[in-house]
Amino acid sequence: MRVAVFSTKVYDRRSLEDINKNFQHELRYFDAHLNADTVALAKGYPAVCVFVNDVLDQVVLEKLSEGGTRVIALRCAGFNNVDLATATRLGLEVVRVPAYSPYAVAEHAMALILALNRQIHRAHNRVRENNFSLEGLLGFDLNGSVVGVVGTGKIGTIFAKIIQGFGCQVLAYDCYQNQTCLDLGIEYTSLDHLFEKSDIISLHCPLTPETYHLIGEVAIAKMKKGVMIINTSRGALVDAQALIEGLKSEQIGFLGLDVYEEEGDLFFEDLSGKVLQDDVFARLMTFPNVLVTGHQAFFTKNALENIATTTLENIKNIEDGLVCLNRVNVTSLNRN
Ligand code: NAD
C-alpha cells in the first residue's frame, strides 16, 4: 500500500525500511508532524502512518478522508491523539501497536532508580572534571526497600519482577489484581497505604480521567519523607507544580521522569540552540535530585523492530481484507 509516514526521524526510517523488505509497501517519509497545516501532504495516500505528537482531530481526519486515505496506522500504543468518533463516522480504519517491548520501559524505570539513588549523572560529571569527592553522593541500599508499583499490567509486572530481584518488597495498586504478580508474592494494597509505606513509587498505569494528576499535593503529603518518584508512563499522571513544591520541601527526595505533561512542545527535538519557554520544566531541571529523559523509555532496537513489524503488518492485513486484531474503535477503553 502507498503510505505517507509522518513525524519520522532517521531511526524510524531505518527500522521501517529494513522491515519493509518483507512487505513491499510504498513508503514516503515526512519529517513534519501530521496536523491541519501538513495534511495536504497525505493527499492521494490510502494510508498514513503517525506517532504520538501527530494531531488527528476532526479537521485533519475529514481532509484525509477527502484525499482518499482510509487507513491510519499508529506507530505507538496510545491513541488519545485520534478523534475516534470522527474516524468511525468517516469509515477510517485506525490500527496501533498495543505492545512492542514492555521490557524496554520497565528496564528504563530501573535505570532511573539506580542512577538517581547512586547519583550516577552527577558522579560522571564530577569525575570528568577530576573531582573525586563523594560529598553529596550518598545513596541507600535498594535491598530491603519498599517499592510501590501503580499499575501492574505488562510493564508494571516486569518492573515488579526486576525490582524484586534487588531484594525489594513490592506493594502494588491496580483496579485488577494480576495473577502473575500474586504468584510473585506481591501484595496488593490501597493507593493510600502504598503512598504511606513506599520508599520508591513507580507509575505504570495509563492516563485516563481517573489517573490524571494521580500524584498531586495531597498524595505527596501522604508519602514518606524523601520518597523517590518515578514516572515512565504519561506526563499528566503527575502534577509538575506539586512535584516542584515537594522537592523544595524535601518531601520528595528523588524524582525520575521520562514523560512530562507538556512534552509535546519539547521532546524528540533538538532544541539546544533555542530559548526554553517552559518555566515549570526549567525549574524541575534545577534540582540536583531530578533526572529527566525525553520519552526514551521505549527506545530500544527490539522495540523499534517490533513497532515497524506490527505497523507494516497491520497495514498489510487491511490491504488484504483480513481481520486486524490491532484495530482501535470508539469502544476501545485502553487509552495508553
Ligand atoms: P497495560 O495496559 O498492560 O497495563 C496498565 C495497567 O494499569 C493495567 O493493569 C490496568 O488495570 C492498570 N490501571 C488502569 N487504570 C488504573 C488506575 N486508575 N489505577 C491503577 N491502575 C490502573 O499497559 P502497559 O503496556 O503496561 O503500559 C503502561 C503505561 O506505560 C502505558 O499506559 C503508557 O502510558 C506507558 N508507556 C510509556 C512508554 C515510554 O516510552 N515512556 C512506552 C510505552 C508505554
Side-chain angles (χ1 to χ4, degrees), residues 100 153-155 174-175 204 206 211 232-234 258 295 298 336:
Y100 34 88
K154 293 180 283 296
I155 296 170
D174 197 306
C175 327
H204 299 288
T211 59
T232 55
S233 220
R234 280 294 179 267
D258 183 55
H295 209 138
F298 77 99
N336 34 330

Side-chain angles (χ1 to χ4, degrees), residues 18-71:
D18 197 26
I19 304 292
N20 194 38
K21 288 179 192 138
N22 307 325
F23 292 93
Q24 302 296 329
H25 292 298
E26 194 185 315
L27 306 179
R28 172 80 194 274
Y29 299 103
F30 298 102
D31 296 345
H33 290 323
L34 175 62
N35 56 37
D37 296 331
T38 60
V39 65
L41 295 168
K43 193 164 186 237
Y45 285 89
V48 295
C49 179
V50 295
F51 198 45
V52 290
N53 289 326
D54 292 300
V55 179
L56 292 110
D57 58 12
Q58 186 181 335
V59 173
V60 170
L61 292 174
E62 282 175 350
K63 284 262 160 43
L64 285 174
S65 178
E66 280 164 29
T69 297
R70 50 193 183 86
V71 181

Side-chain angles (χ1 to χ4, degrees), residues 77 98-100 102 105 150-156 173-176 204-208 210-211 214 232-234 258-259 295-299 334-336:
Y100 34 88
V105 183
V150 181
T152 51
K154 293 180 283 296
I155 296 170
Y173 173 76
D174 197 306
C175 327
Y176 304 98
H204 299 288
C205 58
L207 175 63
T208 63
E210 293 77 45
T211 59
L214 183 80
T232 55
S233 220
R234 280 294 179 267
D258 183 55
V259 285
H295 209 138
Q296 75 171 81
F298 77 99
F299 197 55
N334 184 356
R335 303 195 63 84
N336 34 330

